[in-house]
Amino acid sequence: MAVQTVFPVTRIHEPLRVDVEVENGKIVDAWLGAHLFRGIECMLKDRDPRDAALFTQRICGICSAAHAVAAGMAQQQAFGVTPTTTGQHVTNLIFAADIIQNHLRHFYVLALYDYVKGPDMPPYTPRPQADFRLPPKINDELLQHARESSIKAMQAHEAMAVFGAKAPMQQTIIASGATEQATAERLMIYRSILQELTEWVENVFIHDVMVLADYYPDYYTIGGGYGNFMSFGMFPAPVTGDRAFASGLIVNQRQVEPLNVSHIGEEIRYSWYKDEQERRTLPAGRTVPDRDKPEAYSWVKAPRYQELPVESGPLARAFISGEYRRGVSVMDRLVARAQETLKICRLAQEWLNEIVPNTPSCLPFTPPDSGVGAGLTDAMRGVLGHWMEYRHNKVTHYQIITPTTWNFSPRDNRGARGPVEQALIGTPVADGANLVEAGRIIRSFDPCFTCAVHMLER
């Protein structure tokens, strides 16, 4: 048996270290370690709680709006504030545009080059020694689409900025909605961009993913994992709060169950943190770093639902909605993400139709002196939770669990692997020194470690 190490893994929001044990041409064990600690939760202490939606976006540039949305939800609960009808629609439109650009960039910038061979020049070289299977004509077509995708992702950011003022890190989402007014002109601009994006996603993006599926059918059987899925839901409707993507839990690919967030806990036995308790239920989690902790190998904690490792993200949402249940694999994740992008484009069109121009997009409010709130939403990569407590208008406690924390968690207190660690087990490896197959599995989850661990190790 041999342990192979890849550090850093490239074409992800790094840094990630991967150690895999290979025996008889298969991965038999795996350890995933995130080596970035940022301490955003610690930085929020003693700040005005109204700053949370703007401040927490700095966790990540690729999914910034998701943190504004989650923080805004936590503020709504803590402040006792409800967004206006137009404000909720505008918030959803900002968030939708950010998810669209993320999904395009994931596939065409991060994942595609595991399967498509670029020109013999940087940044396409050095490249992995992979089994590139596409005929030259189709390979070149997908490369052209990758170049086009950068423009489309930019357009999605432009749509985000129509109501968010800038991208990334929009500036307008607050507890009672969004500060940018939904004028007829802004609605028209967003609609025009969205129409072009919808057509491209439907005719190009989904086509390209299915091309890869045709030439790499074995990746429908690689990268499975536990088959446990969870979603907080996403895009609440005004007034009712009903979510366009429903919340739920699936254990071992069985039926959808209701979600009880009180069953969520974080464990740190194999994470570089110290605490007198190795498990805490939310929102009681703590962030006290300890880089010299024995046995630990990651800055990512190990969140669990009733002690279960669970996967979240587009495939989890598709399973929970029943819209896609072909299987659990690398290719299933890519297909589910592309299909979800089109669904979000169409939902955004519906929200545009429901907005009455120039109606209030937010209302003034005064936060109470103290409060507690939780903001739970799905984001680009899966479930995202912000838990906030403040006293005398100063944050006393802030805890964040991101999608990559769930998916890329290390082992828990019982030694159970995290979801991606488990997905690597049993993977056939053609070249033990290359590990292309492991890279394809890892990138199918669209990891973001700037989000996951919130001081760069020297």
Side-chain angles (χ1 to χ4, degrees):
M1 293 186 289
V3 175
Q4 299 291 336
T5 299
V6 180
F7 180 62
V9 177
T10 57
R11 280 186 289 113
I12 62 169
H13 304 289
E14 49 194 313
L16 170 68
R17 172 175 171 145
V18 177
D19 294 278
V20 296
E21 191 172 290
V22 179
E23 183 178 4
N24 298 324
K26 288 188 176 182
I27 295 175
V28 296
D29 212 344
W31 301 262
L32 301 181
H35 283 247
L36 179 72
F37 173 76
R38 300 180 68 210
I40 293 289
E41 296 155 318
C42 304
M43 296 176 199
L44 280 160
K45 191 176 180 186
D46 295 328
R47 293 182 178 271
D48 190 311
R50 291 171 295 184
D51 291 343
L54 291 173
F55 195 89
T56 56
Q57 287 184 101
R58 271 63 190 177
I59 289 171
C60 177
I62 194 69
C63 56
S64 57
H67 290 287
V69 169
M73 290 176 173
Q75 291 171 332
Q76 288 163 15
Q77 192 176 101
F79 301 165
V81 173
T82 301
T84 66
T85 294
T86 297
Q88 184 62 69
H89 282 317
V90 168
T91 298
N92 287 345
L93 289 170
I94 293 170
F95 193 15
D98 209 16
I99 294 175
I100 293 166
Q101 67 80 24
N102 175 89
H103 285 0
L104 291 175
R105 286 192 167 113
H106 166 259
F107 181 74
Y108 286 103
V109 177
L110 305 179
L112 187 70
Y113 300 102
D114 282 331
Y115 312 92
V116 172
K117 190 174 183 179
D120 292 325
M121 58 182 287
Y124 305 101
T125 58
R127 66 171 64 90
Q129 299 302 309
D131 54 334
F132 296 111
R133 306 176 191 176
L134 300 184
K137 182 178 179 180
I138 294 177
N139 189 93
D140 291 346
E141 180 183 75
L142 265 64
L143 283 176
Q144 176 57 35
H145 293 167
R147 288 187 282 270
E148 293 173 12
S149 75
S150 64
I151 303 299
K152 300 305 174 185
M154 179 191 71
Q155 289 175 320
H157 258 168
E158 289 175 344
M160 177 181 169
V162 169
F163 295 113
K166 63 184 286 288
M169 286 88 173
Q170 61 75 48
Q171 298 290 290
T172 65
I173 293 174
I174 61 174
S176 65
T179 58
E180 195 67 86
Q181 194 168 28
T183 64
E185 180 183 15
R186 289 196 182 99
L187 292 168
M188 181 180 65
I189 293 170
Y190 191 107
R191 189 185 303 275
S192 176
I193 298 171
L194 179 64
Q195 182 60 41
E196 188 171 337
L197 288 171
T198 303
E199 292 174 0
W200 200 86
V201 168
E202 186 169 17
N203 297 321
V204 180
F205 184 18
I206 290 179
H207 166 268
D208 289 349
V209 173
M210 299 316 298
V211 166
L212 292 192
D214 288 342
Y215 283 91
Y216 292 86
D218 46 326
Y219 278 85
Y220 276 119
T221 63
I222 293 173
Y226 291 108
N228 301 331
F229 297 116
M230 187 171 76
S231 173
F232 288 154
M234 191 161 60
F235 300 125
V239 184
T240 66
D242 294 340
R243 303 198 174 195
F245 288 78
S247 66
L249 173 76
I250 292 177
V251 177
N252 197 24
Q253 299 186 52
R254 296 196 292 265
Q255 297 301 310
V256 180
E257 305 173 18
L259 196 64
N260 184 340
V261 296
S262 67
H263 293 157
I264 295 173
E266 276 190 315
E267 304 181 8
I268 61 167
R269 176 169 294 182
Y270 295 97
S271 305
W272 285 311
Y273 300 97
K274 58 185 175 183
D275 194 340
E276 65 272 14
Q277 297 176 218
E278 287 190 335
R279 174 183 171 84
R280 286 185 180 270
T281 55
L282 273 284
R286 296 182 179 180
T287 305
V288 183
D290 181 8
R291 182 60 180 82
D292 299 321
K293 181 178 177 180
E295 294 189 302
Y297 59 93
S298 181
W299 283 115
V300 174
K301 298 177 184 179
R304 295 293 186 263
Y305 184 90
Q306 289 184 321
E307 300 187 346
L308 288 174
V310 295
E311 176 179 340
S312 67
L315 183 59
R317 291 191 283 267
F319 258 83
I320 288 167
S321 69
E323 294 173 356
Y324 182 92
R325 290 186 174 181
R326 186 197 181 283
V328 184
S329 69
V330 168
M331 204 55 64
D332 289 308
R333 292 186 191 95
L334 299 181
V335 173
R337 187 173 288 106
Q339 292 183 356
E340 177 177 274
T341 309
L342 181 58
K343 177 179 178 177
I344 291 173
C345 286
R346 290 172 174 167
L347 283 169
Q349 292 170 344
E350 295 176 13
W351 300 326
L352 285 169
N353 294 336
E354 293 175 8
I355 293 176
V356 178
N358 299 316
T359 49
S361 59
C362 65
L363 293 173
F365 63 90
T366 301
D369 178 73
S370 302
V372 177
L376 308 178
T377 181
D378 263 40
M380 294 73 169
R381 293 157 183 81
V383 293
L384 171 63
H386 282 219
W387 287 264
M388 177 178 73
E389 182 175 356
Y390 73 97
R391 293 287 181 269
H392 308 303
N393 293 308
K394 297 292 183 183
V395 173
T396 56
H397 184 74
Y398 209 101
Q399 196 69 26
I400 300 168
I401 302 184
T402 69
T404 299
T405 309
W406 284 95
N407 292 334
F408 282 79
S409 74
R411 284 156 169 75
D412 58 27
N413 297 350
R414 293 157 300 284
R417 302 181 187 93
V420 182
E421 290 180 334
Q422 184 64 29
L424 289 165
I425 304 305
T427 300
V429 175
D431 180 359
N434 199 10
L435 300 176
V436 164
E437 300 85 357
R440 287 169 173 164
I441 293 170
I442 289 166
R443 294 185 188 95
S444 74
F445 285 86
D446 189 14
C448 180
F449 293 97
T450 53
C451 281
V453 287
H454 317 305
M455 176 185 346
L456 184 60
E457 179 189 354
R458 295 187 181 278

